């Protein structure tokens, strides 16, 4: 089950898009660069020491997963982070890496890829706390599974059974899509979502806000919007009050929509299980409607034939609409739907 928590961070990571259609042509996918950052005073005034410092820094690289270090965040201040993952730079030298970090002071949703320049190598804690690492790992894997993974670390995962591999993948997951465009909003994502492999290389996805098809490029979306017939979620409108409408979507009748919704929702829910088998679910989509169409605010899903009929599978208010009472509305609506099912059972 998901959460309707609103972000603790004062900025919810979304902003309204300006009307110009090519507004993001200059986006470079990296808002956290440190261009213009002054060089360290020690490097300018103490050239001999600078050589020593350079050597010491070079000896640390590439940083190991698990390293704790200070990282320059978007507020231009340094915050403690832990390196979760690393990968070679696409166009860098053979030993140039970027790092996926978790800010230990912040929610996991702010984890991100950073460049080496953002890290203060003088703050590196050289001893990785392996005992803590073990504890974290053991939360996800048994000792036996952990040993098997260690043994096959370099060779690959051929010797892992499916369950161990799944757990390993779970453990090493990093956020893949950084932002999405949905209707008039550009939204920063919070968590990993298992989009199909062909979307692995894009930081930004463009969603049709009505059918929830997603695309790699803005031009694809613009072409799609000229053809897309929908102006509201597929399914039946089961509630309307003022500008608010609720649509009931049967996952069996609208399989692609259900799957697209799950991909989208996982970007904002940490522990959601993705339901590829959406046939078994009903989705209730809350929309704000105007003359351009019905714009999704949030949703909840419910298993059709769960033995526990009160089972609320998932609930989400999209970030641009949070802190407006929609989460409470969704829960209240779910209670009403539950009442309908209870009556139907009697
Ligand atoms: Zn569409």
């Amino acid at each position: 089950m998901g959460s309707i928590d609103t972000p603790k961070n004062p900025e919810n990571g979304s902003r309204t898009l300006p009307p110009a259609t090519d507004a993001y042509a200059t986006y470079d996918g990296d808002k956290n660069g440190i261009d213009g950052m002054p060089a360290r005073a020690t490097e300018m005034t103490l050239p001999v020491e600078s050589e020593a410092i350079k050597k010491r820094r070079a000896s640390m690289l590439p940083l190991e997963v698990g390293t704790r270090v200070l990282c320059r965040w978007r507020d231009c201040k340094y915050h403690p982070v832990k390196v979760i993952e690393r990968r070679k730079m696409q166009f860098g030298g053979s030993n140039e890496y970027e790092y996926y970090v978790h800010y230990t002071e912040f929610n996991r949703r702010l984890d991100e890829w950073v460049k080496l320049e953002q890290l203060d190598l003088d703050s590196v804690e050289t001893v990785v706390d392996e005992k803590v690492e073990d504890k974290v790992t053991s939360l996800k894997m048994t000792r036996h599974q952990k040993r098997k993974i260690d043994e096959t670390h370099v060779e690959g995962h051929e010797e892992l059974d499916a369950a161990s591999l799944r757990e390993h993948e779970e453990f090493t997951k990093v956020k893949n899509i950084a932002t999405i465009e949905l209707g008039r909003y550009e939204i920063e994502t919070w968590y990993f979502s298992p989009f199909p492999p062909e979307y692995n290389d894009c930081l930004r996805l463009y969603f049709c806000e009505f059918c929830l098809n997603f695309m790699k490029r803005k031009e694809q979306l613009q072409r799609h919007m000229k053809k897309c017939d929908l102006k509201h979620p597929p399914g039946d409108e089961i509630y309307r009050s003022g500008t608010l409408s609720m649509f009931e979507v049967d996952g069996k009748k609208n399989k692609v929509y259900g799957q697209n919704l799950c991909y989208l929702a996982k970007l904002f829910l940490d522990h959601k299980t993705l339901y590829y088998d959406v046939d078994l679910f009903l989705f209730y989509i809350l929309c704000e409607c105007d003359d351009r169409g019905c714009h999704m605010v949030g949703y909840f899903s419910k298993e059709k034939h769960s033995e526990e009929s009160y089972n609320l599978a998932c609930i989400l208010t999209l970030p641009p609409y949070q802190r407006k009472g929609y989460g409470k509305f969704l829960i209240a609506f779910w209670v009403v739907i539950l009442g309908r099912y209870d009556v139907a059972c009697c």
Side-chain angles (χ1 to χ4, degrees):
M1 166 172 160
S3 154
I4 57 164
D5 286 353
T6 48
K8 301 288 185 288
N9 191 37
E11 177 196 353
N12 70 3
S14 58
R15 64 191 177 95
T16 308
L17 292 174
T21 53
D22 59 349
Y24 295 96
T26 56
Y27 175 77
D28 64 5
D30 176 17
K31 295 174 189 167
N32 302 322
I34 57 162
D35 289 345
M37 183 183 171
R40 286 178 177 277
T42 50
E43 290 180 16
M44 289 185 284
T45 56
L46 296 170
V48 178
E49 193 181 334
S50 165
E51 250 340 280
I53 289 173
K54 273 186 191 164
K55 270 190 183 166
R56 192 168 65 81
R57 287 180 187 162
S59 70
M60 295 175 187
L61 299 176
L63 294 175
E64 295 294 329
V65 170
T67 302
R68 291 176 187 273
V69 60
L70 293 176
C71 179
R72 187 169 178 271
W73 195 48
R74 60 186 79 169
D75 63 356
C76 296
K77 293 177 184 158
Y78 281 87
H79 298 272
V81 298
K82 181 179 168 186
V83 176
I84 303 291
E85 188 59 282
R86 68 183 188 191
R87 68 183 176 197
K88 285 198 172 162
M89 303 276 288
Q90 203 174 352
F91 303 109
S94 60
N95 210 26
E96 287 182 46
Y97 284 79
E98 55 188 346
Y99 298 92
Y100 194 75
V101 298
H102 168 61
Y103 295 88
T104 53
E105 296 169 341
F106 302 150
N107 187 290
R108 219 168 73 84
R109 69 183 61 156
L110 295 171
D111 293 0
E112 62 182 349
W113 286 103
V114 300
K115 304 219 165 32
L116 181 64
E117 291 82 1
Q118 286 168 257
L119 302 173
D120 176 3
L121 291 181
D122 291 337
S123 70
V124 167
E125 293 177 23
T126 47
V127 180
V128 178
D129 187 348
E130 289 181 5
K131 283 181 183 164
V132 174
E133 291 301 298
D134 275 352
K135 275 180 198 160
V136 175
T137 309
S138 66
L139 290 176
K140 300 274 182 185
M141 297 174 232
T142 64
R143 272 184 192 285
H144 177 62
Q145 288 167 335
K146 170 76 165 51
R147 197 172 63 242
K148 281 181 82 175
I149 283 170
D150 286 346
E151 285 166 358
T152 55
H153 186 71
V154 180
E155 289 77 17
H157 300 127
E158 302 80 25
E159 292 174 44
L160 293 178
D161 59 45
S164 302
L165 185 56
R166 262 202 308 280
E167 283 183 293
H168 184 226
E169 286 171 347
E170 180 72 27
F171 188 63
T172 57
K173 251 173 206 175
V174 294
K175 190 158 66 183
N176 45 349
I177 308 295
T179 54
I180 60 163
E181 216 179 283
L182 180 72
R184 61 198 179 99
Y185 290 106
E186 174 199 316
I187 310 172
E188 280 186 29
T189 65
W190 295 349
Y191 302 109
F192 171 91
S193 180
F195 285 93
E198 59 266 34
Y199 295 88
N200 282 352
D201 60 343
C202 41
L203 288 172
R204 173 185 292 242
L205 284 182
Y206 299 87
F207 278 82
C208 169
E209 63 170 327
F210 302 119
C211 70
L212 300 186
N213 279 342
F214 45 88
M215 283 139 262
K216 289 183 180 182
R217 297 202 320 276
K218 180 110 183 167
E219 307 77 62
Q220 289 175 301
L221 177 66
Q222 286 167 339
R223 277 201 300 275
H224 171 89
M225 297 312 289
K226 285 178 187 158
K227 295 186 300 187
C228 187
D229 296 333
L230 285 178
K231 290 292 174 208
H232 55 76
D236 303 325
E237 185 183 20
I238 58 170
Y239 171 89
R240 187 186 296 182
S241 175
T243 57
L244 277 187
S245 279
M246 182 74 87
F247 291 84
E248 184 182 65
V249 180
D250 186 329
K252 190 168 187 177
K253 293 179 190 161
N254 298 281
K255 207 175 176 78
V256 173
Y257 181 90
Q259 287 171 341
N260 290 346
L261 178 59
C262 287
Y263 284 130
L264 172 66
K266 179 62 192 72
L267 291 169
F268 304 101
L269 297 170
D270 198 3
H271 300 296
K272 175 176 170 49
T273 306
L274 201 74
Y275 305 112
Y276 292 105
D277 199 1
V278 292
D279 291 17
L280 306 175
F281 291 87
L282 289 170
F283 299 93
Y284 295 87
I285 320 293
L286 180 62
C287 294
E288 276 183 359
C289 304
D290 57 26
D291 54 1
R292 294 183 304 113
C294 297
H295 315 284
M296 183 168 80
V297 164
Y299 85 104
F300 65 87
S301 58
K302 183 189 174 308
E303 269 186 88
K304 286 180 198 167
H305 306 296
S306 170
E307 283 186 16
E308 297 168 343
S309 64
Y310 53 82
N311 188 16
L312 177 66
C314 207
I315 182 166
L316 171 72
T317 305
L318 288 168
Y321 299 97
Q322 291 185 350
R323 298 181 185 273
K324 293 181 178 177
Y326 285 126
K328 282 182 187 160
F329 182 90
L330 285 168
I331 289 176
F333 203 92
W334 168 63
V335 172
V336 171
I337 295 288
L338 181 64
R340 196 175 85 180
Y341 276 79
D342 279 354
V343 169
C345 289
C346 291

